[in-house]
Amino acid sequence: MGINAMNISQDPYDLLESHWPAIAHGLAAVWSEGVGVEEVARRLGADPASATRVTLAGLPAGFEGENIPGDHDGILLIGEFGEFGAWTLTLQIQWADVAEQWALESLSADGGRAVGVRWHGGSGYRVFYAHDGEVAADSPMTMIPAALSPYADGLPTEPDWDVAGEYGSPIAQMISTCLVIIGRVTGEEISRQWLEKQHTRYIIRRP
């Protein structure tokens, strides 16, 4: 298989899946600019007492007995991202509070930016971009929004639904394209080093 834009854009999805095999069932990921880890958790309404240092692969660590989150609780992994921690990355593997409009507005307030993706149960594949407290883009991944199109040069902006299986899933390709675009916005793509490092897990408690 030769190297082309599709193969390059496949890598971010594969990298995430290697650390969280259940990724196909759903994930929300939002990068926020100029907001620290604890402040992101506060703006999302997470329980500060739930803060625990884990990796993505080790996210379920300590979920035993009374510590098991409820079905309606949000589970977050929040860590500094990029050079000098200029951005913060939040991954949410249960529910998608971080990608709701109110959250994007809050995380991008006061001149900041927030950019991310969300999908659940094999559907609802969306990409988001917010700036200075306003959501500028909320679009299906099949249509890269105008606010992000300057970062899409050379990438497959529409999934090839006829691609042969040996070349990877078109859904993975679509998600990876968005992740590469986000990497261009933030100045750094998600890496194995970030995924293997411990970050802070928080729980959003709900009745």
Side-chain angles (χ1 to χ4, degrees), residues 101 104-106 108-114 129-137:
Q101 179 174 336
L104 294 167
E105 290 172 348
S106 178
S108 65
D110 302 320
R113 292 176 289 173
Y129 178 77
H131 178 253
D132 198 17
E134 295 186 6
V135 178

Side-chain angles (χ1 to χ4, degrees), residues 14-34:
D14 291 345
L15 182 59
L16 274 170
E17 187 177 42
S18 70
H19 290 77
W20 190 254
I23 187 175
H25 299 300
L27 184 75
V30 171
W31 288 252
S32 44
E33 183 181 32

Side-chain angles (χ1 to χ4, degrees), residues 69-94:
D71 291 341
H72 298 288
D73 291 341
I75 304 174
L76 311 170
L77 184 66
I78 310 177
E80 292 185 351
F81 189 89
E83 189 174 12
F84 308 118
W87 293 75
T88 297
L89 170 55
T90 303
L91 301 179
Q92 185 164 0
I93 57 96
Q94 183 163 291

Side-chain angles (χ1 to χ4, degrees), residues 11 14 22 29 39 56 61 68 74 88 90 93-94 101 116-118 123 129 135 151 153 156 160 179 182 184 197 207:
D11 293 347
D14 291 345
E39 178 63 11
L56 177 59
I68 298 176
T88 297
T90 303
I93 57 96
Q94 183 163 291
Q101 179 174 336
V117 292
R118 178 182 72 184
S123 63
Y129 178 77
V135 178
Y151 301 94
D153 186 51
D160 184 355
L179 292 175
I182 289 170
R184 293 175 178 180
K197 182 179 179 180

Side-chain angles (χ1 to χ4, degrees), residues 37-169:
V37 170
E38 292 183 358
E39 178 63 11
V40 167
R42 188 192 68 80
R43 294 188 190 189
L44 294 174
D47 176 9
S50 68
T52 307
R53 298 288 288 178
V54 294
T55 63
L56 177 59
L59 198 59
F63 285 165
E64 302 168 342
E66 295 180 355
N67 293 325
I68 298 176
D71 291 341
H72 298 288
D73 291 341
I75 304 174
L76 311 170
L77 184 66
I78 310 177
E80 292 185 351
F81 189 89
E83 189 174 12
F84 308 118
W87 293 75
T88 297
L89 170 55
T90 303
L91 301 179
Q92 185 164 0
I93 57 96
Q94 183 163 291
W95 298 97
D97 305 80
V98 70
E100 297 290 342
Q101 179 174 336
W102 64 266
L104 294 167
E105 290 172 348
S106 178
L107 293 175
S108 65
D110 302 320
R113 292 176 289 173
V115 59
V117 292
R118 178 182 72 184
W119 65 94
H120 177 70
S123 63
Y125 297 94
R126 302 192 72 82
V127 59
F128 310 89
Y129 178 77
H131 178 253
D132 198 17
E134 295 186 6
V135 178
D138 175 354
S139 173
M141 290 187 192
T142 52
M143 298 183 298
I144 302 303
L148 294 176
S149 59
Y151 301 94
D153 186 51
L155 297 174
T157 54
E158 295 184 9
D160 184 355
W161 300 110
D162 297 321
V163 67
E166 65 180 296
Y167 294 113
S169 159

